[in-house]
Amino acid sequence: MTRALALATHGVALAHPNPVVGALLVKSGQIVGQGYHDYERRDHAEIVALKQAGTKARGATLYVTLEPCCTTGRTGPCTKAIISGGVKRVVAAMQDPNPAVAGRGFAQLRRAGIRVTIGVREEDAQRWNEDFAWWIRTRRPFVTLKTALTLDGQIAQRAGSVTWITSERSREAVHGLRHEADALLTGIGTVLADNPRMSDRTGKPRRRRLLRAIVDSRLRTPLRSKLVKSADGDVVVFTTQRADSPQARALVRAGVEVFQVRAQGGHVDLRAVVRELGRRQMLNVLLEAGAELNGAALQAGIVDKMILFYAPKIMGTGGVPMARIPSRWFAKSPALKNISVQTYGPDFVVQGYFHDVYRNHRTRRKN
């Protein structure tokens, strides 16, 4: 299963809007077929492994990170191919969170006389598909708020300034997060202060361009900003302004999409933004913003996960907090759950969830 999970990671940025899946067939202690899912190549991971194994699949054990599908979509059901291939046993990490499949694939295999084991390295497999699980049930992207901050919780020395806080090792890790994401979301304040390009600089392959989204209620995005100058159908500005306004037309001419959403308290309705990104099959959205948008996103309840890169430094008074939120909100603030901590060079990273994505899909190992 460790090998199957490693194979699954090859599908990052290549499998969406499908889940990332790895599979391998083992017979007499030898790997006879293996593969991962790449959306453009159509075949699911199990089919890739079966085709590679050929007749050697008969009597083999299939290790797969996700329950084999039993439905017909762009491809036929994997369960049918597994049964036809003569596989004698299937070891799966997790159940498919898709309600159309959940449990039914395993049931079909068992009815065909195949021994099925579920729950091996389940939490590791779930980590790689938490975005798919959330989107397939809610049609809303899984939103991760990422920020770098000091030990006293500040992200910049003063408003409108750029402050490098964490180490190069942490910044490399952030590009890894960008590679996993389907879209980056930021606010006009960050665009004006930092003039970011918001790109995936890992050099790894992507099936879809990384969508770069800006929340800009009054359409103040500069035409000379790096985001606009590098736009090629992959930058969208969410605004409350009319799409036929002079500012909007100028951005459109520069290659930027302008998408009007309703206002909420005089600002862009963030829930409407998230719904639209979900409609575009953006499963994973990374929020990289300043205090204003971070605060608004938390209050709107659109953040599902937080990843906080802490530098071992104190900034002192006068800095910018991670999120601007009225103190009265503290009483109803949700608490992060399933918290983990790890180090990146001199920094440490805290990550946690506001809800359990797999609350209805946790499995005790079953044979």
Side-chain angles (χ1 to χ4, degrees):
M1 189 58 73
T2 299
R3 174 61 183 164
L5 286 164
L7 286 166
T9 64
H10 292 300
V12 171
L14 296 174
H16 283 180
N18 286 349
V20 296
V21 184
L24 72 155
L25 285 157
V26 177
K27 187 174 183 179
S28 302
Q30 299 294 318
I31 295 174
V32 295
Q34 60 184 343
Y36 63 92
H37 178 52
D38 180 332
Y39 188 88
E40 295 297 340
R41 296 180 181 177
R42 299 181 70 88
D43 284 344
H44 291 184
E46 302 95 314
I47 305 302
V48 176
L50 284 166
K51 286 182 176 179
Q52 190 178 109
T55 58
K56 293 179 181 179
R58 190 161 299 278
T61 296
L62 172 68
Y63 293 87
V64 62
T65 59
L66 183 70
E67 176 179 8
C69 69
C70 56
T71 56
T72 299
R74 296 172 72 237
T75 63
C78 289
T79 50
K80 182 178 179 180
I82 292 167
I83 294 167
S84 298
V87 173
K88 72 174 183 179
R89 183 186 180 204
V90 172
V91 180
M94 61 178 284
Q95 178 176 292
D96 194 326
N98 184 351
V101 177
R104 295 178 176 86
F106 293 139
Q108 282 190 12
L109 296 173
R110 287 190 171 113
R111 284 196 297 270
I114 296 174
R115 183 185 172 193
V116 177
T117 300
I118 312 166
V120 178
R121 299 286 300 274
E122 182 179 34
E123 291 187 5
D124 293 318
Q126 289 177 338
R127 153 70 184 89
W128 288 108
N129 278 312
E130 61 192 14
D131 45 17
F132 171 77
W134 188 244
W135 180 82
I136 200 67
R137 294 202 304 269
T138 67
R139 285 299 189 265
R140 183 171 85 70
F142 188 78
V143 179
T144 299
L145 188 161
K146 184 281 304 178
T147 194
L149 63 168
T150 59
L151 292 176
D152 51 345
Q154 299 183 74
I155 61 175
Q157 289 181 303
R158 61 185 180 279
S161 69
V162 178
T163 307
W164 291 106
I165 292 175
T166 50
S167 66
E168 184 63 32
R169 180 79 182 276
S170 291
R171 291 195 285 275
E172 289 175 4
V174 169
H175 280 284
L177 294 174
R178 288 184 180 182
H179 181 66
E180 293 178 28
D182 296 318
L184 300 183
L185 181 63
T186 196
I188 183 59
T190 298
V191 173
L192 295 175
D194 294 359
N195 192 22
R197 184 174 283 106
M198 294 175 63
S199 58
D200 171 6
R201 295 197 284 275
T202 62
K204 297 178 182 178
R206 302 186 64 92
R207 185 180 80 82
R208 302 183 290 186
R209 288 183 178 180
L210 179 64
L211 183 68
R212 299 173 290 168
I214 307 167
V215 174
D216 182 4
S217 298
R218 292 182 285 156
L219 279 185
R220 293 184 292 152
T221 300
L223 293 175
R224 296 183 61 81
S225 63
K226 291 178 181 177
L227 276 166
V228 173
K229 292 177 74 174
S230 63
D232 186 16
D234 57 352
V235 175
V236 57
V237 175
F238 289 98
T239 185
T240 59
Q241 304 300 303
R242 292 172 58 91
D244 61 355
S245 67
Q247 303 100 309
R249 290 199 299 268
L251 286 168
V252 170
R253 285 195 297 270
V256 175
E257 178 188 356
V258 176
F259 192 92
Q260 184 182 11
V261 296
R262 69 186 184 190
Q264 181 74 30
H267 300 283
V268 165
D269 183 346
L270 295 179
R271 295 186 183 91
V273 170
V274 166
R275 283 195 298 271
E276 174 59 21
L277 291 173
R279 188 191 67 77
R280 299 182 186 206
Q281 298 186 330
M282 299 290 111
L283 277 58
N284 182 323
V285 173
L286 185 63
L287 175 61
E288 293 192 71
E292 299 295 340
L293 186 55
N294 284 346
L298 289 166
Q299 291 178 87
I302 67 166
V303 178
D304 304 303
K305 180 179 182 179
M306 292 185 71
I307 302 181
L308 308 175
F309 287 80
Y310 279 95
K313 305 173 183 177
I314 300 292
M315 185 168 290
T317 58
V320 179
M322 184 203 77
R324 293 198 188 280
I325 302 177
S327 59
R328 63 179 179 275
W329 188 72
F330 177 75
K332 58 182 179 181
S333 170
L336 281 179
K337 305 168 185 175
N338 299 325
I339 294 173
S340 62
V341 181
Q342 61 185 118
T343 58
Y344 283 91
D347 308 322
F348 67 94
V349 182
V350 177
Q351 72 173 23
Y353 299 79
F354 282 118
H355 48 75
D356 188 347
V357 178
Y358 291 101
R359 61 186 179 279
N360 297 320
H361 293 270
R362 200 74 69 186
T363 307
R364 289 185 178 181
R365 186 180 297 192
K366 296 189 295 185
N367 294 315

